[in-house]
Amino acid sequence: GAVVSQHPSWVICKSGTSVKIECRSLDFQATTMFWYRQFPKQSLMLMATSNEGSKATYEQGVEKDKFLINHASLTLSTLTVTSAHPEDSSFYICSATKDRGAEQYFGPGTRLTVT
Amino acid sequence: DAKTTQPPSMDCAEGRAANLPCNHSTISGNEYVYWYRQIHSQGPQYIIHGLKNNETNEMASLIITEDRKSSTLILPHATLRDTAVYYCIAGGSNYKLTFGKGTLLTVNP
């Protein structure tokens, strides 16, 4: 149990376009979902936390107008990178938790390349 | 989250136990110790967590010292597939996880 999926697994887009990444909890209802970013040879950096039906909470330094997060249901959260630039190229990973403070279950990640 | 210190890398022979240490001397009373691992180019995988008592599951054992200032993750019989970066995280009281640099465990044949 506790499987999280992401779609797409990889995407290439042109500079200036927007890209949407989906995160789904397949066999449980996720009270909270998290979005991370990981650059090559670096650790995961938390971008934002989202709860179903409410606005996401962004970490310091993360532009909320650039990284739009929607948590439409207890099993789906989406991250939209708007007006993507090459420096947004990264590995984006989501996670979900059943309860606050409980362990997080991670998706397989989405590799975004902006050309 | 409390700061954690892990060795940057470790080696282990296949079939032997892998013991991964973690220091978290500033951990507060309500903060858990979590262990995750990340195989190259994949999302992290939850391994185990604990508060005060030692914990064991099908993947690993977690030994937490009595003063809670350090812990050890034990993989009892390491396989080649256990080669990964292992992250020790002390915190989660605000349900967030702060990832450090972790320990790259290389299991050798």
Side-chain angles (χ1 to χ4, degrees), chain A residues 32 34 36 38 43-44 46 49 51 59 91 93 100-109 111, chain B residues 32 34 36 38 41-46 49 87 92-102:
Chain A
T32 305
F34 304 84
Y36 295 81
Q38 186 175 32
S43 191
L44 283 78
L46 179 65
T49 303
N51 294 293
E59 295 299 302
F91 193 46
I93 310 168
R100 278 196 170 192
E103 57 271 25
Q104 294 182 21
Y105 297 95
F106 287 80
R111 188 160 303 281
Chain B
Y32 284 79
Y34 294 87
Y36 289 80
Q38 186 177 27
S41 294
Q42 296 183 23
Q45 177 187 21
Y46 165 77
H49 76 284
Y87 297 99
S93 58
N94 62 350
Y95 60 90
K96 293 183 184 179
L97 298 175
T98 302
F99 284 80
K101 296 184 178 179

Side-chain angles (χ1 to χ4, degrees), chain A residues 6-85:
Chain A
Q6 281 185 243
H7 177 80
S9 55
W10 59 271
V11 58
I12 301 173
C13 71
K14 293 188 175 181
S15 187
T17 62
S18 295
V19 174
K20 180 185 286 188
I21 302 170
E22 289 188 352
C23 175
R24 293 181 185 272
S25 56
L26 299 184
D27 53 1
F28 67 99
Q29 292 188 326
T31 55
T32 305
M33 287 185 166
F34 304 84
W35 287 96
Y36 295 81
R37 182 167 53 181
Q38 186 175 32
F39 291 108
K41 298 189 185 300
Q42 295 186 23
S43 191
L44 283 78
M45 293 294 293
L46 179 65
M47 299 176 66
T49 303
S50 73
N51 294 293
E52 184 261 343
S54 61
K55 289 184 178 181
T57 302
Y58 291 81
E59 295 299 302
Q60 192 171 9
V62 177
E63 301 175 58
K64 61 180 181 180
D65 294 330
K66 180 171 183 61
F67 299 99
L68 302 179
I69 293 172
N70 183 273
H71 196 152
S73 74
L74 284 172
T75 61
L76 173 64
S77 177
T78 60
L79 168 68
T80 301
V81 182
T82 63
S83 186
H85 292 286

